[in-house]
Amino acid sequence: MERATYAEIDLGALRHNLQRAIMAAPTSKVLSVIKANAYGHGLVEAANAMETLTNGFAVSHVSEAVELRNAGISVPVVVLLGYKTEDELRLAARHHLSMVIHDTAQLKILDDITLPCPINVVIKLDTGMHRLGLPCQDVHYYFQRLCQHANVDPPPLIMTHLACADDKQSSYTDRQVECFKRQTQGIDAETSMANSAGTLGWPETHADWIRPGIMLYGTSPFAGRTAKDDNLIPVMTLRSSLIAVHRLSRGDLIGYGSTEACPEDMTVGVVAAGYADGYPRRLPSGSPVWVNGHTSKTMGRVSMDTIVINLKDIPAKVGDEVELWGKNLMVDDIADKSGTISYELLCNAGNNCTRIYKDR
Ligand SMILES: *Cc1c(COP(=O)(O)O)cnc(C)c1O
């Protein structure tokens, strides 16, 4: 059987959400974050759809940046994890990539190489996330050192990453912003702090460049909110179809572990989607699924390639289309019910299923 589950990607919605980021921070430039295959939406397709509207792109790895260049993307591309080897630095020089420097081991590699042309670098500072970044208080030293470096085209952009911006009540963002602004004072360089949550919720983080990611794909960066609350349009619709419809009797048990019993004589449907497609196994029985304009509910456990849904009072037959998330069912809600965040569901589904593009 042809695989029935696919991710439909609405590139018009992607552009709408990018406009939303631009409007939220009108005086900042935009580095659109398309790491992890554009959060499962397709690296090159997403880049092509956004290139005329964005000032640059950010990816995690050099290989992703090279793929963008090979696809003809000519705007600045920042590699967020930077480089680990001399070869990666040579690729950066050849393809005019901007390399994040977050660790002194990277400086050593830069010192020991002679590049054919100087490259753009970005200094990443740790202001409290304690993941990647040079110590914030040492920024003057690193800035001077890199401005004078033979392999660097100065001045470096200076950035930091926010740990708690998705929580509007948290005071941690204020602490990070204060530290970043105090330490970078007097340095003549562009700066960047805001992810999606910073872009929409913390104007003081906008600086010269915003770095929106998840909001571009139409899901809210804030806990407990969905796309609609933030005027975003979901980009991915995860679709599948019904491959069986049965009548079952009251008390009949459904799926692995026989965890769910039919409460009455009823019709159920089997959808050809499961955790192999990126539909989360942790999603509890009773979670919503959209069928023929109705909200149905899952029954029992999610299998590898199937789920069972309740078709009581829902007219549906084999072959009918089912939406697992998208414009009718927010992925934010499905993520919440399965104890994770939309980022994870989008990456898993988008990278596991065939993608079909609309509105190129
Ligand atoms: C992933 C990432 C972003 C984008 O974050 P969202 O929460 O998806 O908006 C921005 N900056 C850095 C350094 C990142 O790694």
Side-chain angles (χ1 to χ4, degrees), residues 33 35 39 80 124 159 161 195-196 211-214 343:
V33 180
K35 64 192 179 192
Y39 294 44
L80 292 170
K124 181 160 185 182
M159 67 174 272
H161 196 42
N195 54 7
S196 298
R211 305 189 310 272
I214 194 70
Y343 301 65

Side-chain angles (χ1 to χ4, degrees), residues 90-111:
R90 286 191 197 95
L91 282 171
R94 168 150 21 117
H95 294 286
H96 302 285
L97 310 177
S98 303
M99 301 303 262
V100 169
I101 296 183
H102 54 76
D103 190 88
T104 50
Q106 293 174 313
L107 281 171
K108 175 88 173 62
I109 298 171
L110 191 67
D111 291 345

Side-chain angles (χ1 to χ4, degrees), residues 47-63:
N48 280 330
M50 292 192 284
E51 188 174 17
T52 57
L53 296 172
T54 192
N55 304 97
F57 290 112
V59 292
S60 294
H61 306 286
V62 172
S63 56

Side-chain angles (χ1 to χ4, degrees), residues 203-223:
E204 63 274 34
T205 66
H206 287 172
D208 298 295
W209 290 84
I210 56 170
R211 305 189 310 272
I214 194 70
M215 68 175 292
L216 302 176
Y217 309 101
T219 107
S220 175
F222 301 109

Side-chain angles (χ1 to χ4, degrees), residues 173-294:
T173 301
D174 295 325
R175 274 175 57 184
Q176 287 193 271
V177 170
E178 192 276 326
C179 171
F180 186 78
K181 290 194 170 162
R182 178 161 37 84
Q183 300 291 352
T184 57
Q185 211 168 36
I187 295 182
D188 191 15
E190 291 189 326
T191 58
S192 175
M193 285 182 270
N195 54 7
S196 298
T199 299
L200 290 178
W202 303 83
E204 63 274 34
T205 66
H206 287 172
D208 298 295
W209 290 84
I210 56 170
R211 305 189 310 272
I214 194 70
M215 68 175 292
L216 302 176
Y217 309 101
T219 107
S220 175
F222 301 109
R225 289 167 68 93
T226 67
K228 283 188 183 129
D229 302 323
D230 289 312
N231 187 22
L232 300 167
I233 303 176
V235 176
M236 181 190 295
T237 301
L238 188 64
R239 291 191 199 281
S240 188
S241 52
L242 283 167
I243 53 165
V245 172
H246 313 294
R247 272 304 282 179
L248 294 180
S249 306
R250 179 162 178 264
D252 283 348
L253 299 168
I254 292 174
Y256 282 119
S258 304
T259 55
E260 193 73 18
C262 293
E264 60 196 302
D265 294 355
M266 61 185 294
T267 304
V268 303
V270 181
V271 181
Y275 57 81
D277 302 296
Y279 191 69
R281 184 176 180 281
R282 288 158 293 174
L283 199 65
S285 183
S287 297
V289 174
W290 186 259
V291 192
N292 294 341
H294 299 263

Side-chain angles (χ1 to χ4, degrees), residues 46 89 129 152 168 201 206 272 278 295:
L89 272 181
M129 186 150 176
V152 172
K168 284 189 185 169
H206 287 172
T295 305

